[in-house]
């Protein structure tokens, strides 16, 4: 026959064990209070909001490189880079050991806002505020260095390309000049090719005869070389313009327009942890559960006689 326990019997069991429940509850709340007030270190939180947007300023040829670096996601990843942030605090003279768990960087889900919410906890309100400020400055500096490094590499590449094109153009022109002089053709053709324009000028009778005797192969060779000179010259002008643009941007580039501090690091008015009231509430609940468990276990133990 299956035994059942009525609600009245349950209440009687609980009432009989009220002392045990009370003791367990008081002990757990006492332990939670001791831990909250005397054991756990108080933590203070500083908060800041940063906007990271690469579209706030037209950077010309550098736009793609700036847009790649200055994004909220990249900012959040860089500010949580433990070695760099640890070194930043050390350079600032902070003796505290950096703990990446103290920093939380949350990127806003709305991509049009480009916001990053920052929260940093430390042992005092002032330290939390100062350290968060240091980390934000270090992150901006690292992002700036990253773009600067990319632009410096780009500057070297464009300069190298310009030098290479100059040598190629010199080689083609030298070869072109040899053909002109070797076939007694008017030297004005050299100037015409270099200037890429037609020039009308009187030529000698011998040069007229030389022009009349120009073969199709020679003419095609000269036309191809003229086309090469013009093409290489256009490439050179573009490379030179890109080089000047990057060089100018490199000299004047600053990360400030792309990183805006919407809310400066705050100074906490009170500790963010431990939450003493919450801990006491948890102690209360745990104590009651533990007390009830002991009471029902005691009742079961007394009434579970072994039938022989």
């Amino acid at each position: 026959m299956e035994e059942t326990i009525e609600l009245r019997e349950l209440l009687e069991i609980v009432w009989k064990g009220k002392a045990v429940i009370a003791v367990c509850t008081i002990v757990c709340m006492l332990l939670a209070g001791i831990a909250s007030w005397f054991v756990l270190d108080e933590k203070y939180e500083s908060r800041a909001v940063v906007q990271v947007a690469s579209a706030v300023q037209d950077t010309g040829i550098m736009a793609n490189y700036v847009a790649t670096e200055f994004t909220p996601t990249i900012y959040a990843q860089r500010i949580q880079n433990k070695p760099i942030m640890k070194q930043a605090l050390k350079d600032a003279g902070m003796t505290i050991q950096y703990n990446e768990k103290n920093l939380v960087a949350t990127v806003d889900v709305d991509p049009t806002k480009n916001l990053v919410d920052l929260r940093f906890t430390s042992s005092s309100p002032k330290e939390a505020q100062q350290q968060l400020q240091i980390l934000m400055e270090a992150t901006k500096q690292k992002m700036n260095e990253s773009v600067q490094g990319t632009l410096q590499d780009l500057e070297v590449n464009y300069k190298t390309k310009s030098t290479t094109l100059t040598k190629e153009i010199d080689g083609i022109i030298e070869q072109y000049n040899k053909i002109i002089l070797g076939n007694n053709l008017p030297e004005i053709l050299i100037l015409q090719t270099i200037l890429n324009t037609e020039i009308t000028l009187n030529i000698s009778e011998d040069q007229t005869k030389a022009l009349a005797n120009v073969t199709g192969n020679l003419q095609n060779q000269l036309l191809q070389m003229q086309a090469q000179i013009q093409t290489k010259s256009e490439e050179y002008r573009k490379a030179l313009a890109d080089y000047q643009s990057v060089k100018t941007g490199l000299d004047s580039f600053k990360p400030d327009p792309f990183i805006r501090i919407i809310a400066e690091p705050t100074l906490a008015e009170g500790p963010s942890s431990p939450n003493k009231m919450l801990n006491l509430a948890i102690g209360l609940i745990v104590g009651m559960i533990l007390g009830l468990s002991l009471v029902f276990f005691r009742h079961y133990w007394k009434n579970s006689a072994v039938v022989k």
Side-chain angles (χ1 to χ4, degrees):
M1 180 177 180
E2 185 178 355
E3 295 183 358
T4 59
I5 300 178
E6 299 293 339
L7 177 60
R8 180 184 297 275
E9 186 178 357
L10 289 175
L11 294 176
E12 290 178 353
I13 295 172
V14 172
W15 179 253
K16 291 179 180 180
K18 60 182 180 297
V20 175
I21 298 174
V23 170
C24 290
T25 302
I26 292 172
V27 170
C28 289
M29 291 185 67
L30 183 61
L31 291 175
I34 292 174
S36 299
W37 268 272
F38 303 104
V39 178
L40 298 177
D41 294 330
E42 289 186 337
K43 296 292 184 180
Y44 295 84
E45 183 180 85
S46 179
R47 302 191 64 175
V49 179
V50 177
Q51 185 182 53
V52 186
S54 59
V56 297
Q57 181 175 337
D58 183 14
T59 53
I61 194 173
M62 304 183 303
N64 291 336
Y65 304 96
V66 173
T68 301
E69 178 66 27
F70 287 92
T71 67
T73 302
I74 295 297
Y75 184 92
Q77 291 176 349
R78 287 196 178 278
I79 201 170
Q80 295 180 98
N81 187 305
K82 182 177 180 179
I84 295 177
M85 297 302 106
K86 183 178 179 180
Q87 186 62 41
L89 292 177
K90 183 178 179 181
D91 293 342
M94 292 288 178
T95 57
I96 185 173
Q97 185 68 26
Y98 174 75
N99 186 350
E100 65 274 17
K101 294 181 180 179
N102 291 341
L103 175 67
V104 177
T106 306
V107 179
D108 196 296
V109 294
D110 187 350
T112 61
K113 294 181 179 179
N114 300 308
L115 297 179
V116 182
D117 182 74
L118 302 173
R119 291 181 293 161
F120 186 81
T121 57
S122 189
S123 57
S124 73
K126 188 174 181 180
E127 284 186 358
Q129 185 185 45
Q130 289 178 343
Q131 290 164 18
L132 181 55
Q133 185 67 49
I134 291 170
L135 298 183
M136 291 167 62
E137 288 295 330
T139 302
K140 182 169 70 173
Q141 181 63 27
K142 286 299 177 182
M143 296 178 76
N144 178 45
E145 291 176 0
S146 176
V147 174
Q148 291 276 0
T150 301
L151 295 180
Q152 288 173 358
D153 293 339
L154 202 60
E155 180 188 20
V156 172
N157 289 338
Y158 283 134
K159 186 175 182 180
T160 302
K161 184 177 181 180
S162 300
T163 304
T164 302
L165 288 171
T166 299
K167 293 179 179 179
E168 291 178 359
I169 293 172
D170 288 343
I172 298 173
I173 291 178
E174 183 179 357
Q175 186 179 359
Y176 182 85
N177 293 346
K178 288 180 180 179
I179 295 175
I180 295 294
L181 298 176
N183 290 275
N184 195 30
L185 296 174
E187 296 179 5
I188 194 63
L189 293 177
I190 300 175
L191 180 61
Q192 177 176 311
T193 299
I194 295 176
L195 298 178
N196 192 26
T197 185
E198 294 184 359
I199 300 176
T200 303
L201 193 67
N202 293 328
I203 58 177
S204 66
E205 185 177 347
D206 292 338
Q207 291 176 335
T208 302
K209 292 180 179 179
L211 284 173
N213 294 326
V214 171
T215 63
N217 289 334
L218 179 59
Q219 183 180 11
N220 290 337
Q221 185 178 3
L222 292 174
L223 290 174
Q224 289 177 4
M225 296 180 72
Q226 288 178 354
Q228 290 179 6
I229 293 172
Q230 293 173 8
T231 301
K232 294 293 182 181
S233 297
E234 287 297 328
E235 292 180 8
Y236 173 78
R237 280 191 286 270
K238 186 178 184 306
L240 185 61
D242 291 340
Y243 168 76
Q244 293 294 342
S245 176
V246 170
K247 184 174 179 59
T248 301
L250 186 60
D251 294 337
S252 61
F253 179 78
K254 300 294 180 185
D256 296 319
F258 311 106
I259 300 178
R260 297 176 55 208
I261 299 178
I262 305 301
E264 294 283 351
T266 58
L267 184 66
E269 297 180 356
S272 58
S273 66
N275 190 328
K276 298 173 182 178
M277 293 299 103
L278 177 61
N279 291 344
L280 287 177
I282 293 175
L284 172 65
I285 295 173
V286 171
M288 293 180 64
I289 293 175
L290 179 61
L292 287 170
S293 299
L294 290 176
V295 168
F296 282 107
F297 179 77
R298 184 182 63 178
H299 175 77
Y300 167 77
W301 187 264
K302 288 183 178 179
N303 294 276
S304 58
V306 179
V307 180
K308 296 183 181 181

